[in-house]
Amino acid sequence: TLAGHWPPYRFAELLNILGREYAADASVPATYPILAVERNNHGLAVVEALQNVWDYQNLYVTRKRDRHGRVTKTVVGWVTDSASRPIMFEHLRTAVADESFYTEDEEWNEEAATFTEDAQGRPSGEGEARDDLICASAIAWEAREQFPSIRGARRTAPLSR
């Protein structure tokens, strides 16, 4: 689990290292895994550092569509907003329920145990509980689902249940 709070430049550096480590061939940028960095708040600085400092070549691109389904705008990074947030959590909830998504990561499971809806019906960690890993997983799940070519790629079964 990569979890913590770093300045944007340092977080970009860590993501760059991990991305290249998991590349099929670190010398071929097209084989880097897709990084779906949330661009809200400080995330924009992370996205910019990945692009401009680390020259990371495989970043998730959000495609904004009009009511007819036509792409009207593209931005690098995942955009969490009032439209995408409930959908991404519902999709992750479904994946956990049908066991398409499974983890034995203790930190993730601790966050999941306190993940609920607040008074406004907004999914989040209960009270002051953290929900960063749940949010990151929901974003990763959405990115994976939007790229059929990577869905199931190099997928392994859980070690144990």
Side-chain angles (χ1 to χ4, degrees), residues 11 19-20 25-26 36 43 53 60 64 114 119 132 138 140 144 149 161:
F11 188 41
R20 291 173 194 256
D25 181 343
V53 176
Y60 178 86
K64 295 287 187 173
T114 63
D132 296 342
R144 177 186 174 274
S149 62
R161 292 245 172 181

Side-chain angles (χ1 to χ4, degrees), residues 22 91-92 94-103 137 140-142 144-145 147-159 161:
Y22 283 93
H91 288 170
L92 181 62
T94 300
V96 169
D98 71 15
E99 298 183 347
S100 299
F101 179 94
Y102 176 80
T103 182
S137 297
W141 190 257
E142 287 300 295
R144 177 186 174 274
E145 288 299 300
F147 288 91
S149 62
I150 63 171
R151 201 176 310 141
R154 292 184 279 164
R155 196 169 187 187
T156 58
L159 296 176
R161 292 245 172 181

